[in-house]
Amino acid sequence: MPQVFTAFASEVKVNEETIEGLQFIEYSLAKNRQHVGAIGTDERIAVYFGLKTVTGKLRVASINATLDGLLQSNESFSVSARMRHGEATRQVAFDECYMEDKAFGLGAEGHAETVYTFTATRVREE
């Protein structure tokens, strides 16, 4: 049975500060993988793995002064997300994060939103 978490009951913190106005959090984890081929054949005989990269995005209604400050200061920070639905919870933590960029948008008949992109050394899912 799939676990469905709701944004209403969930919470995201940056350095233990709750991010107010958060619209969504998303992240991706990618592993660098290289194939080793045998001489004289077109088949793979092995695979080796290299760098693992973690990239995340936080979309906030309007702006967030803390996240803006991290973009300007180049300081390391942590992100933790506690997703909930009823009694079920899941914790996701990002270690040694750095702010990558910021994109701001304001559309007609809507409110401003800012997307903050960050990278992390690792992600831990519990």
Side-chain angles (χ1 to χ4, degrees):
M1 177 127 207
Q3 187 60 256
V4 178
F5 298 108
T6 61
F8 180 75
S10 300
E11 177 180 59
V12 175
K13 294 184 177 191
V14 171
N15 290 340
E16 301 303 319
E17 177 186 329
T18 301
I19 300 299
E20 299 296 332
L22 184 73
Q23 302 298 301
F24 79 79
I25 180 173
E26 70 178 47
Y27 67 95
S28 64
L29 172 66
K31 287 184 174 183
N32 185 343
R33 179 183 67 207
Q34 298 296 320
H35 303 280
V36 179
I39 296 174
T41 180
D42 59 356
E43 293 182 350
R44 178 178 72 186
I45 60 169
V47 175
Y48 66 91
F49 296 91
L51 179 67
K52 177 173 53 174
T53 57
V54 179
T55 304
K57 293 184 178 188
L58 301 168
R59 180 177 296 194
V60 177
S62 296
I63 59 170
N64 183 282
T66 299
L67 298 175
D68 284 340
L70 290 168
L71 182 63
Q72 296 301 318
S73 71
N74 298 323
E75 292 179 19
S76 174
F77 60 95
S78 64
V79 176
S80 63
R82 173 166 288 168
M83 296 172 280
R84 295 182 185 149
H85 180 75
E87 296 298 317
T89 63
R90 182 175 181 110
Q91 183 78 22
V92 179
F94 302 87
D95 300 322
E96 298 177 46
C97 302
Y98 289 93
M99 198 59 69
E100 194 79 6
D101 63 39
K102 166 186 168 178
F104 177 84
L106 176 61
E109 298 191 33
H111 59 80
E113 289 187 333
T114 304
V115 178
Y116 297 92
T117 304
F118 65 92
T119 58
T121 300
R122 74 190 61 81
V123 60
R124 295 177 284 120
E125 300 173 324
E126 303 164 0

